[in-house]
Amino acid sequence: MSKLKIAIQKSGRLSEKSIKLLEECGIKFPNGGGKLITEATNFPIEILFLRDDDIPQYVEQQVADLGIIGENVLVESKKKINLVEKLGFSSCRLSLAVPKETQYESLEFFRNKRIATSYPNILSEYFQKLQIEVTIEVISGSVEIAPGIGLADGICDIVSSGSTLLSNGLKEVEKVLDSQAVLVANHDLEDSKKQILEKLLFRIQSVRKAKENKYILLNTPNSKLEKIKTILPGMNSPTILPLAKESWSSLHSVIREDKFWEVIDELKEAGAEGILVIPIEKMIV
Ligand code: ATP
Ligand code: MG
């Protein structure tokens, strides 16, 4: 039976979370010793450890069938590969920044200016659409020092908290692209590999749904049950069990974590007590 080859970043910001995602999907594989390729012991998949910039090309050329990369790398690469699933981790943005003392009013600022970046394709397309002429200085790392050493008037780089910009005397002025880790695939997978991908995707989605949802238990007087049921939009109908305490029940349901914070006060007001919120490991719906 053929195996699916997935390329993940060898060492960097995506590595740990990519490995964790595969592990959470129940895939076991020997990891460590600096190996470049390893085989899962309980799932038909091989894992290749590569530099993230090389992954789009390898996926396009079918050296790997799948890859986990940042959307920023996918868009910049211009390779013809499929975005299969957004993975919800390593969120960041590609932004334009200028020295913090610069008086910045609009994108017009950049007209005929020099911008240092490792993302020349994304950036040139961005300014082409705006019909603003710029000079792009391509550098592969430490982009944020470029204005300070007189190489450029501004930069375009990955930002998450903005603290790197700040410590280099820069301020973020425009967002060019939102990014997160994504699963990409060769667009011409053979059927047997597509089937393995479907299985993997099902597991990835179950893990993600589990993270977004919580199991909630609460106690309520029976008189308040109906009201509480309307506040709690569960997966389907909640489980209701009688408590030893006369005329009280325990209600169990599943709730989106973000919704939980919205309804917690409502629940308490409606008479809910002893509220417990418990993480879910896997969620199959
Ligand atoms: P490689 O050696 O594999 O080429 P790299 O130095 O290009 O690694 P990293 O810095 O490890 O890349 O970042 C990998 C990806 O993680 C980026 O392409 C981006 O999608 C994401 N990323 C980068 N910086 C951040 C950040 N500060 N916060 C969140 N995600 C980030
Ligand atoms: Mg890289």
Side-chain angles (χ1 to χ4, degrees), residues 23-60:
E23 286 173 348
E24 283 171 341
C25 288
I27 298 172
K28 292 195 163 54
F29 52 92
N31 175 31
K35 273 176 70 172
L36 297 182
I37 184 160
T38 184
E39 211 167 303
T41 53
N42 61 351
F43 196 78
I45 199 165
E46 276 175 0
I47 300 135
L48 278 63
F49 300 92
L50 300 169
R51 279 203 60 186
D52 68 345
D53 314 64
D54 297 333
I55 292 177
Q57 183 180 343
Y58 283 155
V59 171
E60 186 181 55

Side-chain angles (χ1 to χ4, degrees), residues 192-208:
S192 62
K193 289 189 171 179
K194 269 190 205 150
Q195 281 171 17
I196 308 170
L197 172 58
E198 284 307 313
K199 275 192 186 161
L200 178 66
L201 210 51
F202 174 73
R203 294 188 186 191
I204 289 175
Q205 287 161 351
S206 303
V207 169
R208 278 206 67 191

Side-chain angles (χ1 to χ4, degrees), residues 136-148:
I136 296 175
E137 304 284 356
V138 185
I139 45 180
S140 56
S142 305
V143 172
E144 59 287 343
I145 64 163

Side-chain angles (χ1 to χ4, degrees), residues 9 12-14 51-53 70 72-73 90-92 158 160 179:
Q9 193 187 22
R13 290 177 191 269
L14 298 172
R51 279 203 60 186
D52 68 345
D53 314 64
N72 51 308
V73 170
S90 296
S91 296
C92 55
I158 292 293
S160 58
S179 180

